[in-house]
Each structure stands twice: as structure tokens, then as C-alpha cells.
Amino acid sequence: MRSAEAGGGRGTNDYMQPEEDWDRDLLLDPAWEKQQRKTFTAWCNSHLRKAGTQIENIEEDFRDGLKLMLLLEVISGERLAKPERGKMRVHKISNVNKALDFIASKGVKLVSIGAEEIVDGNVKMTLGMIWTIILRFAIQDISVEETSAKEGLLLWCQRKTAPYKNVNIQNFHISWKDGLGFCALIHRHRPELIDYGKLRKDDPLTNLNTAFDVAEKYLDIPKMLDAEDIIGTLRPDEKAIMTYVSCYYHAFSGAQKVRLYSNRICKVLAVNQENEQLMEDYEKLASDLLEWIRRTIPWLENRAPENTMQAMQQKLEDFRDYRRLHKPPKVQEKCQLEINFNTLQTKLRLSNRPAFMPSEGKMVSDINNAWGGLEQAEKGYEEWLLNEIRRLERLDHLAEKFRQKASIHESWTDGKEAMLQQKDYETATLSEIKALLKKHEAFESDLAAHQDRVEQIAAIAQELNELDYYDSPSVNARCQKICDQWDNLGALTQKRREALERTEKLLETIDQLYLEYAKRAAPFNNWMEGAMEDLQDTFIVHTIEEIQGLTTAHEQFKATLPDADKERQAILGIHNEVSKIVQTYHVNMAGTNPYTTITPLEINGKWEHVRQLVPRRDQALMEEHARQQQNERLRKQFGAQANVIGPWIQTKMEEIGRISIEMHGTLEDQLNHLRQYEKSIVNYKPKIDQLEGDHQLIQEALIFDNKHTNYTMEHIRVGWEQLLTTIARTINEVENQILTRDAKGISQEQMNEFRASFNHFDRDHSGTLGPEEFKACLISLGYDIGNDAQGEAEFARIMSIVDPNRLGVVTFQAFIDFMSRETADTDTADQVMASFKILAGDKNYITVDELRRELPPDQAEYCIARMAPYTGRDAVPGALDYMSFSTALYGESDL
């Protein structure tokens, strides 16, 4: 037999009764035994059902000790000695003794309770043993304001029911008969379950049944008492009431813990879900940007020339749209991608998660490399377009010049071959022969004068071939035809001269005046044709100096017109003298000059044409001079704006650099300052757009150089894009510093101290520290780093933390991360695992129903989808492994 008093447990003597008191209770009111049997049986079953078993008769079902040992294992969470499975009495006594020994090992000294009585089914001893177990494992640890056990439980009930009318809890028997105490406890913690205002003190049966039914249905507290028994008993059993009320205490205090740990899990899962969404957003944005770059680079690398100016100008317009409309949003996307990546990494680092590693080919460095390839392809595209436009403009000019010269030459050669092949000298008189000879000499002079034009035509055709003119085959065919015809004319001319010279010996008379007329008229006629050709020639100039040169040359030409007019009058005088001689001497000349086909009428007509072309040329030169003046105004207008905007961008870049290392005010002040600065920069955009408009006017006017500024539109665009990117990155750095400060609990004074130390050792104001600068900075902050081998090893370890990529520099973000790492208050895998263990009721696994009951729906489904099945030996169907899931959240294992 065991001793008769309980000890070792905190406050146990306050509520344990001697055996004789137990007997007296049962003798005084036998109804108490009934209440205790029902209450204790229900209490045991509430725990045994976790192990998948139940009891019906408390003294019979505990006789073999097996379910008694199982009950102790469930409520203590510990393993007892291996039970005996035999049916013999000795085996049963051994099992009960193991259970009693375990109870005694928990500091409880059992009184007059032996294994033999339990095996024999002694109701009194069995109930006493169960009451001892209830006291030790359900009531003993209750503590309220340093009171314990019974007093603590009573004080808890009094405080929870204090605000309720008609409830006065003073004990664990008659204070509970009207049922309002139970209803008040439920309503205080779960007001939605009971409409307390409708309860009446004079209806205890309804009150008790309401409390018992609600507790069983919604609080998972079995129905341990009968309302009729409590009402029908003068003084309800105190032990039964205490047992049942302790279940309320544990249910509500456990619910509070569950909510606490549920909130912790929700917080961790919310962070994880947010980070996964950020990762998905990064992957999509990176894929879209890389796809756009992949489609754009072949377009920029295409250097296939077009055949017309219109097609090339359309290409230039397409490129201009690309630079102004299509690329700027992609620049912003690239910048936002880098900002999202940095923010994600900061959040992962602050929440103690592993760093995000994008898919292969989607790292920030991969995107930067692809972007570099895009800009490399873009670099020479515009210059190529402008050069192609210049080339096509030159080709159009040369082609028109070729057609004009070819048409004039073909007009001149028309009929010359037939003329040279005539046999008129065979039947001519001597005077006619001499006339034919002189005429032939004049033709040869004319032929020689046209030699330059033929050479010019060939030279122009050659240049068109060298410039890859698209219609070169037709040009070459026409040029070849002219050259072949020219060679044939030379051969025919030589042949006719030989024939005339043979005949010349037979002829003696020659009309010198006609010959002189012909010799002077032919060069003059050629000069007039050249003058007409020059006056009608198109011209291309790009500067005022060039047009002024053409104007000067034209004025010089006009100065020669008086002398030319004198020559014309002299030639006409010769013809008049010839006519006079013919008329005087009745020479049979048939009214025409045998030596030339150039008539005075033709000379006068061409001369009149030259006089008409001169003012037209004057007008064309004046219009071109006005156009060049307008171009010069456009150059000056663009230069004036570019010379303001370029230095402004450079100044803003320098000011942003200074702001990022200064310590004026809090980080929020710096962030507000930077955002206001960003707003002022964005407000400057209309001036950039105005400059873009002036640049478009310059390009449309085909202006290719500008001596009034060293800034090109490309310089301004690149500077503007760099300015927007720099301010966005600087704002992101300050935002990450705020995240780090808030997450790590760094004060503003600490942050200022960190920044002051960092800036002090940042000698070159680069925003980073070298290894030696960083070491000196740590020492200045009181970090003990010796110069011995141990100190060098410690510093190498620190460098591996702040510079994991071994770049040889330490950023300010890495610096403050390191300085705050030791004091960080972040969730850990063990904390999350402990929280899940509470939700699971101290089991090594958790079920789907438990997750859905304790967590919000979306986060419960998140866990269910990612938790692996639990495979331990105590696994049940549908059990989930919350341990591996918790470690996976922090990168310590794979989900």
C-alpha cells in the first residue's frame, strides 16, 4: 500500500483529501459517486480518443492497466515502460504499478492506493486515483497571480464572471447549480455562442444544458455532468465541478495560445507568399524585357539599304519613334526590374530567407548584357541612316545630272553619223568642196568641244557605280551607247576628213568669212550651251558659306556677259558681212553657211535664253540663301537649349551623388528630399521634349552638323536616361535602408553614426569602402579586430558576409546589414515549428482539419499544398509533416 498524502507537486496539499475524507464524502452523498464516475469517465475519454480508444466502465476498463498507461502517455506526452500483454493477474498488477510509479515520479505521493485494489475493480480507489491524475495534470499547473491549483482556478473563474449579473462564484459546488457560471465563462470568451441576455437565474436546467451542449459542440469539451444530477443534489460534487471547470480553463487558455501561434504562422506565411509573388513578377517582367530586346536587336542590325529617299526617310522616322516612344518605357522597365530585384533581396534578407536566384538567363547581369547588346546595335544605326540619306541624295543629284548631259549630248549627236557618211563631195564644185572641208573642220572643232561633256558623262556613270546606284545597269547601258557612238563619230570624222583632203587639191576657193564665222560661232555657241547647262544645273549646299560661294561664282559669270555680248555682235557682224558680199557679188551660196549649221537666229535665240536664265538663277540662289539662313537659326536655337540642358543634367547627377552620402535629417527626410528632387527632374521633361522637337526640325531640314554646340541629341538622351535611373536607384537605396532600420530596430542616431563613419572612410566619395577602409571603419566603431592571425581570420569571415561576390568593395547597405545582424529580431524555423506543434496539440504531425480550423482559408490551403505527408511511426491517415515545411521556409531543406 502507498502512503496517504500527496507531495512534491506545487500546492498539492491544498486540495488532496485523506482516504477517510473520501469515504465520508461518499457516505454523506452517494450521488457524488455517480457524478464523479460520469465526470471522470468523460474526462478520460476526452484524452483517450486522441489515441483512438475509449472507456465505458471506469473501474473495469482500468483493471488490466493498459488503458491507464495509455491515458498517462497521452496527457503527459511521455513514453511509459513497456506494458505486459498477458491476461494473468500478475501482469495486470505489473501494469498498474508501472502507472502508479509514473504518477509518483511526477511528485505525487499516493495515499492508500495500491495496484491490487485497482485490479480488483475497487470503485473508491479507482476514482481516487483518477482524481489524483486530474489534480496533477489538469489542475496543479493552473496559476493566477501567484496562487495555484484550486485557488488559482477559483480566482480565474471569479475574474472571468465578475462583469455578469447574478453570478457569484465562491466555491466549486453550489455556486454553479444555476448554470449561469458556466454560461458566463463561455460568453466571456466566445460571445457569439450564447445569447447571455436571454438566460434566467430561475431556469437552471436550461442554463446548464445550454452550457454543456455549447461546450461539447463548439469547444470540444465532452459532456461530463448531467444537469438533472446537479439540480437534484443539495451540494454538487466539488471534484466533478473542478474537473469540468478545468476543461474550460484549458480550452480557453489553449485557444489564446493557438491564436498567438496562428498569428505567427500567418505572419510568416504572408511574408513567404508576398516574396513568391515578387519572384513571379520579376520572372515575368524579365522575360518580357528580354523578349523585346531579342525582337529589337535584329531590326537595329539590319543595314539593308533602300533605293529611294522616301524609303530611307521612313526608316529614319521609324527609328525616331523607337527612341522617343518605344525605348523610354523599356528603360523604365529595366530600372524598375533592378529596383524590384534589390527590394526582394532586401526583404528576403530581413525575413531570414535565402536569396532569390532567378531562372537561368534572367539574372540582372543577363539583362544588363542583353541591354548592352541592344545599345551596341543601336549605336551606329542612326548614323548609318543619315549617311544613307546623304548617299541617296547625292545619287539622285548625279543621276539627274547624268540624264541632262546625256540628253544634251544625244541631241547634239542626232544625225551626225548620217551627215558624216554623206557622199556629197563627189558631185560638188570646187567651192562646194572647199566649203565642205571647212564645214568639216568646224565640225571637228565642235566635236572636240564636246569631248569634255562625254568625259563628264562617263565620270558621272563611274561615280554612280561606285556609290551603288540602284539603276546602274540602265545608266551603264546608256553611257556605253554614248561612248560607242562617240568612238564611231571619231572614226567617221577621220574618214570624211581624209576624203575631203583628197578632194581639196582639186578645189581652190574658200570663203574665209564663212570660215571665220564658223570658227567663232562654234565656240561661242558651245559657251552658250555650257552657260545654259550651268544656269540650269541643280545644286546642293549645307551651309551659308557654300551658297555664298555659288552666288559669288554666279556674279563673276554675270560680269562676263558684256564681253560675251560683244563677241556675239562680232560674230553677227561677220555673218552680215558675208551676206553683204553674197549680195554684192551674187555668190551662189544658197543662203546658208557651208561651214556651220549655227545660224545668227540660233545664236540670238540661245543668247536670249541665257539672258532669261540669269534672273532665274538669281532667284534660285536667293531662295537657297534664305533656306540656309533658316537652317542657321535652327542650329542656334538647338545649340542654345542644348548648352543649358547638358550642364543642367550633369549638375543634377553631381547633386544626387552628394545627397546620397549626406546626413541631413532622418532617412525619411532624405527620402522625401529625393522624391521632391525626382519630381523637379520629371517636371523638367517638357524642356527635353522641346529639344526633341527642335532636333526633329533639324533632321527634317537635313542639317548634319552644328558648330554652336558640342551636345548632340543622343548625348542629351543618354544623360537624361542616366539621370532618371540614378535618382530611382538612390531612392531605392534609401528605402532599403529604412526597411533595414525598421526590421533590425536601428535608431536614427545609430543610422547617423553608421553613415558618418562610412562617409569618413569613403575617401573618394564613391559610395563604397575598400577592405582596408572597411576595417578601419569597424575599428572606429569599437569592433575588436587585431593584427594577428586570429584577427585576420575574423576580418576575412566578416568580408565574406558583406562582400559575398568578392568584388573587393563594401556598399553602405551591406555595412548596415552587418552592423545590425547580431541584434536582429526575426522569426526562425524553430519558432515556426514550435507554433505548429501547439496547433497540432503537441503531436509530431498536423492534420488538414486542424490547419483549416486554426488558420485563415488561403494560408491553410497554402500549407496543405506544400506540406509533405508525415511518415513517422505514430502517423495517422492524412497526417502532414510540419517540421520539414518549417525548415523549408528558411531555406534549410527542400519543400
Side-chain angles (χ1 to χ4, degrees), residues 204-400:
L205 183 63
T206 300
N207 299 339
L208 288 169
N209 284 328
T210 297
F212 297 161
D213 292 340
V214 169
E216 183 177 34
K217 183 176 181 179
Y218 296 104
L219 303 180
D220 201 24
I221 298 175
K223 195 171 184 179
M224 300 181 181
L225 302 171
D226 283 331
E228 292 81 2
D229 292 342
I230 293 177
I231 295 172
T233 303
L234 179 65
R235 182 174 180 268
D237 181 62
E238 185 178 57
K239 300 178 180 62
I241 297 296
M242 283 182 63
T243 301
Y244 188 60
V245 171
S246 70
C247 292
Y248 279 64
Y249 174 88
H250 289 294
F252 293 132
S253 63
Q256 184 176 2
K257 289 183 180 179
V258 166
R259 285 194 297 273
L260 176 63
Y261 294 123
S262 175
N263 291 337
R264 169 172 284 178
I265 292 175
C266 290
K267 174 186 172 184
V268 171
L269 294 179
V271 170
N272 222 56
Q273 288 172 311
E274 180 184 2
N275 291 340
E276 288 183 358
Q277 185 61 46
L278 288 174
M279 294 176 190
E280 293 176 4
D281 293 343
Y282 174 89
E283 291 282 338
K284 183 178 185 306
L285 189 57
S287 299
D288 293 344
L289 185 57
L290 288 171
E291 176 61 19
W292 179 81
I293 293 173
R294 184 191 66 79
R295 294 195 313 269
T296 304
I297 286 180
W299 175 68
L300 292 173
E301 290 178 341
N302 181 15
R303 297 294 195 272
E306 299 291 343
N307 294 331
T308 64
M309 279 284 289
Q310 182 180 2
M312 287 306 298
Q313 286 175 341
Q314 182 59 47
K315 277 195 171 184
L316 181 61
E317 186 64 27
D318 293 343
F319 179 75
R320 189 180 297 120
D321 289 343
Y322 158 79
R323 289 295 285 117
R324 295 182 59 186
L325 302 178
H326 303 303
K327 186 182 178 185
K330 298 303 177 181
V331 173
Q332 292 297 323
E333 288 180 13
K334 177 177 176 292
C335 177
Q336 189 62 44
L337 190 70
E338 295 178 3
I339 290 173
N340 291 352
F341 182 83
N342 294 334
T343 301
L344 174 60
Q345 298 294 40
T346 300
K347 287 185 176 181
L348 290 173
R349 183 170 61 254
L350 294 178
S351 59
N352 204 19
R353 273 34 169 217
F356 169 57
M357 182 63 64
S359 303
E360 183 178 357
K362 297 180 182 177
M363 294 286 292
V364 172
S365 58
D366 297 326
I367 294 172
N368 286 333
N369 290 336
W371 191 266
L374 174 73
E375 293 188 331
Q376 185 64 30
E378 175 187 316
K379 185 177 181 182
Y381 188 72
E382 184 175 19
E383 182 179 354
W384 173 78
L385 287 174
L386 295 176
N387 288 336
E388 276 299 299
I389 289 175
R390 293 191 191 98
R391 184 181 70 85
L392 289 175
E393 186 180 38
R394 173 67 175 162
L395 284 173
D396 289 346
H397 171 68
L398 288 175
E400 181 61 25

Side-chain angles (χ1 to χ4, degrees), residues 771-782:
E772 293 303 318
E773 293 174 333
F774 177 59
K775 185 176 182 181
C777 184
L778 290 179
I779 294 172
S780 73
L781 291 172

Side-chain angles (χ1 to χ4, degrees), residues 564-588:
D565 189 43
K566 291 178 181 179
E567 179 63 13
R568 179 183 67 86
Q569 293 175 0
I571 293 172
L572 293 178
I574 295 173
H575 178 75
N576 292 335
E577 187 177 355
V578 170
S579 299
K580 185 178 180 180
I581 293 172
V582 169
Q583 185 178 4
T584 302
Y585 297 99
H586 304 287
V587 177
N588 185 18

Side-chain angles (χ1 to χ4, degrees), residues 296-526:
T296 304
I297 286 180
W299 175 68
L300 292 173
E301 290 178 341
N302 181 15
R303 297 294 195 272
E306 299 291 343
N307 294 331
T308 64
M309 279 284 289
Q310 182 180 2
M312 287 306 298
Q313 286 175 341
Q314 182 59 47
K315 277 195 171 184
L316 181 61
E317 186 64 27
D318 293 343
F319 179 75
R320 189 180 297 120
D321 289 343
Y322 158 79
R323 289 295 285 117
R324 295 182 59 186
L325 302 178
H326 303 303
K327 186 182 178 185
K330 298 303 177 181
V331 173
Q332 292 297 323
E333 288 180 13
K334 177 177 176 292
C335 177
Q336 189 62 44
L337 190 70
E338 295 178 3
I339 290 173
N340 291 352
F341 182 83
N342 294 334
T343 301
L344 174 60
Q345 298 294 40
T346 300
K347 287 185 176 181
L348 290 173
R349 183 170 61 254
L350 294 178
S351 59
N352 204 19
R353 273 34 169 217
F356 169 57
M357 182 63 64
S359 303
E360 183 178 357
K362 297 180 182 177
M363 294 286 292
V364 172
S365 58
D366 297 326
I367 294 172
N368 286 333
N369 290 336
W371 191 266
L374 174 73
E375 293 188 331
Q376 185 64 30
E378 175 187 316
K379 185 177 181 182
Y381 188 72
E382 184 175 19
E383 182 179 354
W384 173 78
L385 287 174
L386 295 176
N387 288 336
E388 276 299 299
I389 289 175
R390 293 191 191 98
R391 184 181 70 85
L392 289 175
E393 186 180 38
R394 173 67 175 162
L395 284 173
D396 289 346
H397 171 68
L398 288 175
E400 181 61 25
K401 193 170 184 178
F402 174 85
R403 287 190 289 270
Q404 286 184 2
K405 289 185 176 292
S407 297
I408 293 172
H409 177 77
E410 289 168 346
S411 176
W412 178 83
T413 58
D414 185 35
K416 295 296 191 292
E417 291 174 299
M419 179 197 72
L420 293 174
Q421 292 175 344
Q422 288 179 355
K423 303 296 184 178
D424 53 345
Y425 56 84
E426 294 178 349
T427 58
T429 62
L430 179 60
S431 60
E432 290 172 344
I433 290 300
K434 288 185 177 291
L436 289 175
L437 185 59
K438 297 303 180 182
K439 181 179 178 181
H440 187 72
E441 289 176 355
F443 172 77
E444 286 180 327
S445 178
D446 199 9
L447 187 67
H450 280 78
Q451 177 68 35
D452 290 339
R453 182 177 289 113
V454 175
E455 292 175 355
Q456 290 174 6
I457 291 172
I460 293 173
Q462 179 64 29
E463 188 172 358
L464 286 172
N465 279 280
E466 291 174 354
L467 293 177
D468 197 23
Y469 181 56
Y470 77 98
D471 199 22
S472 292
S474 65
V475 170
N476 292 337
R478 191 172 184 182
C479 181
Q480 186 63 44
K481 181 179 178 181
I482 290 173
C483 291
D484 292 343
Q485 186 186 41
W486 184 256
D487 292 338
N488 189 38
L489 284 175
L492 292 175
T493 300
Q494 182 62 29
K495 183 178 180 181
R496 184 172 177 81
R497 165 168 281 282
E498 291 173 353
L500 290 173
E501 287 178 348
R502 285 194 302 269
T503 309
E504 187 184 17
K505 297 178 181 180
L506 303 174
L507 304 175
E508 299 176 349
T509 306
I510 184 171
D511 192 343
Q512 293 295 331
L513 291 175
Y514 268 151
L515 181 59
E516 184 179 359
Y517 172 89
K519 287 183 176 181
R520 295 182 67 174
F524 185 75
N525 181 68
N526 191 53

Side-chain angles (χ1 to χ4, degrees), residues 469-715:
Y469 181 56
Y470 77 98
D471 199 22
S472 292
S474 65
V475 170
N476 292 337
R478 191 172 184 182
C479 181
Q480 186 63 44
K481 181 179 178 181
I482 290 173
C483 291
D484 292 343
Q485 186 186 41
W486 184 256
D487 292 338
N488 189 38
L489 284 175
L492 292 175
T493 300
Q494 182 62 29
K495 183 178 180 181
R496 184 172 177 81
R497 165 168 281 282
E498 291 173 353
L500 290 173
E501 287 178 348
R502 285 194 302 269
T503 309
E504 187 184 17
K505 297 178 181 180
L506 303 174
L507 304 175
E508 299 176 349
T509 306
I510 184 171
D511 192 343
Q512 293 295 331
L513 291 175
Y514 268 151
L515 181 59
E516 184 179 359
Y517 172 89
K519 287 183 176 181
R520 295 182 67 174
F524 185 75
N525 181 68
N526 191 53
W527 175 86
M528 287 191 298
E529 290 181 347
M532 289 188 294
E533 182 178 346
D534 292 337
L535 290 171
Q536 296 179 90
D537 190 17
T538 58
F539 52 83
I540 298 176
V541 294
H542 299 98
T543 64
I544 290 180
E545 290 76 12
E546 292 177 356
I547 191 62
Q548 287 174 345
L550 289 177
T551 302
T552 301
H554 183 60
E555 292 299 325
Q556 291 173 353
F557 166 78
K558 289 196 294 184
T560 64
L561 290 179
D563 292 336
D565 189 43
K566 291 178 181 179
E567 179 63 13
R568 179 183 67 86
Q569 293 175 0
I571 293 172
L572 293 178
I574 295 173
H575 178 75
N576 292 335
E577 187 177 355
V578 170
S579 299
K580 185 178 180 180
I581 293 172
V582 169
Q583 185 178 4
T584 302
Y585 297 99
H586 304 287
V587 177
N588 185 18
M589 300 299 296
T592 59
N593 189 332
Y595 304 116
T596 181
T597 59
I598 301 172
T599 65
L601 182 62
E602 183 178 354
I603 291 175
N604 286 331
K606 290 183 178 179
W607 175 255
E608 188 61 26
H609 191 200
V610 169
R611 291 182 59 193
Q612 293 174 356
L613 290 175
V614 168
R616 295 180 189 172
R617 186 72 166 185
D618 290 338
Q619 182 65 28
L621 291 172
M622 288 175 61
E623 291 175 353
E624 182 60 23
H625 189 271
R627 190 175 76 86
Q628 290 303 321
Q629 286 180 326
Q630 174 62 19
N631 289 352
E632 186 66 7
R633 284 193 294 273
L634 290 176
R635 290 188 182 96
K636 290 180 179 179
Q637 181 176 335
F638 178 88
Q641 292 187 72
N643 290 335
V644 172
I645 293 175
W648 180 87
I649 290 175
Q650 182 61 33
T651 300
K652 293 302 178 184
M653 291 288 288
E654 295 171 356
E655 290 175 358
I656 291 171
R658 288 197 299 272
I659 291 173
S660 65
I661 64 174
E662 291 176 351
M663 298 182 297
H664 299 314
T666 64
L667 288 176
E668 285 77 7
D669 293 339
Q670 294 181 28
L671 182 60
N672 290 334
H673 188 190
L674 285 170
R675 283 175 174 164
Q676 292 173 0
Y677 213 81
E678 182 185 38
K679 184 177 180 181
S680 68
I681 290 173
V682 172
N683 289 338
Y684 202 80
K685 183 64 165 58
K687 294 187 178 181
I688 302 296
D689 295 337
Q690 181 181 355
L691 191 64
E692 283 281 6
D694 292 344
H695 179 64
Q696 181 176 352
L697 293 176
I698 284 178
Q699 287 194 327
E700 290 173 352
L702 299 179
I703 299 173
F704 305 109
D705 54 10
N706 193 343
K707 65 183 179 180
H708 301 291
T709 181
N710 292 326
Y711 291 99
T712 66
M713 194 63 228
E714 186 61 22
H715 292 154

Side-chain angles (χ1 to χ4, degrees), residues 774 793-806:
F774 177 59
E794 175 63 9
F795 182 69
R797 182 189 69 80
I798 294 173
M799 282 299 293
S800 68
I801 295 173
V802 298
D803 184 22
N805 296 325
R806 298 185 179 181

